[in-house]
Amino acid sequence: VDRLSFLSESMIKISRLESGLIHLKSEELNLSETVLKAIKDVYSKAAKNGNEIVFKEENKVVISHDRGWTAEAVFNLLDYAVKYSPKGGRVYVTVRKLGLFAEVEVKDEGDKIPECEQPKIFSRFYRGSNSREKEGIGIGLYLAREIAIKQGGYINLKSSDKGNSFSLFLFQGE
């Protein structure tokens, strides 16, 4: 029942976002507070897996963004990191200013995403070869990317033998 409920809620979010029924309401808000909301929402899953979430605010970033939808995007990145991190592993979350953009980086200690799968990872319903044993339906990263794009941003992936790093970039202007 929980899985079915999660699936239907996710599909409704995607369809509303894609069809333009939802208009993001951007406000000048502290980005760290938005990220901490997402961390709070994933915390119990991380604790259950024995993962520690390490949060770092390099700069105070006040930026125009939609708190609810941005927290949803960060939650999806965190959910991925927790899901694919080894038991007892750490997930690092960093907020920083980078020129014209603000960055929220979510870094895990999981297995490297194979290079041939990296271009597909943000596709709707895509599940990589390492995901067969994990719960999910392949829409979290897709939804995170769509939310970033709707706010004039983007998501970047760096993958190595030391883990995966997803960065959500939001335009903050001059």
Side-chain angles (χ1 to χ4, degrees), residues 143-160:
L143 188 56
R145 186 193 68 174
E146 289 299 305
I147 292 166
I149 290 169
K150 294 276 187 200
Q151 296 187 91
Y154 64 98
I155 294 182
N156 187 39
L157 164 65
K158 292 179 188 168
S159 190
S160 73

Side-chain angles (χ1 to χ4, degrees), residues 29-167:
L29 301 166
N30 185 320
L31 186 57
S32 290
E33 290 175 12
T34 302
V35 171
L36 289 169
K37 179 186 180 322
I39 290 171
K40 179 181 157 259
D41 291 344
V42 81
Y43 183 81
S44 63
K45 184 175 184 174
K48 190 175 183 181
N49 198 38
N51 297 121
E52 178 184 357
I53 299 176
V54 179
F55 174 75
K56 180 179 181 183
E57 180 185 51
E58 285 187 7
N59 319 93
K60 182 176 180 182
V61 179
V62 175
I63 184 173
S64 182
H65 66 284
D66 183 295
R67 175 159 284 157
W69 283 105
T70 303
E72 174 81 21
V74 175
F75 170 85
N76 288 334
L77 299 178
L78 283 164
D79 186 59
Y80 182 94
V82 168
K83 190 183 304 181
Y84 293 100
S85 286
K87 289 204 180 295
R90 288 186 173 158
V91 174
Y92 301 90
V93 184
T94 306
V95 174
R96 63 176 66 96
K97 289 180 188 178
L98 289 174
L100 296 177
F101 286 87
E103 177 189 17
V104 178
E105 180 187 37
V106 177
K107 189 173 183 182
D108 65 41
E109 296 176 338
D111 293 334
K112 178 180 181 176
I113 298 168
E115 283 188 40
C116 62
E117 294 182 6
Q118 290 179 23
K120 304 174 205 169
I121 196 132
F122 295 104
S123 300
R124 187 179 355 176
F125 303 119
Y126 183 77
R127 302 219 47 225
S129 59
N130 68 341
S131 65
R132 306 293 180 233
E133 305 286 318
K134 307 286 184 181
E135 67 180 48
I137 53 175
I139 58 173
L141 295 178
Y142 170 78
L143 188 56
R145 186 193 68 174
E146 289 299 305
I147 292 166
I149 290 169
K150 294 276 187 200
Q151 296 187 91
Y154 64 98
I155 294 182
N156 187 39
L157 164 65
K158 292 179 188 168
S159 190
S160 73
D161 293 333
K162 295 178 182 178
N164 304 294
S165 173
F166 289 91
S167 290

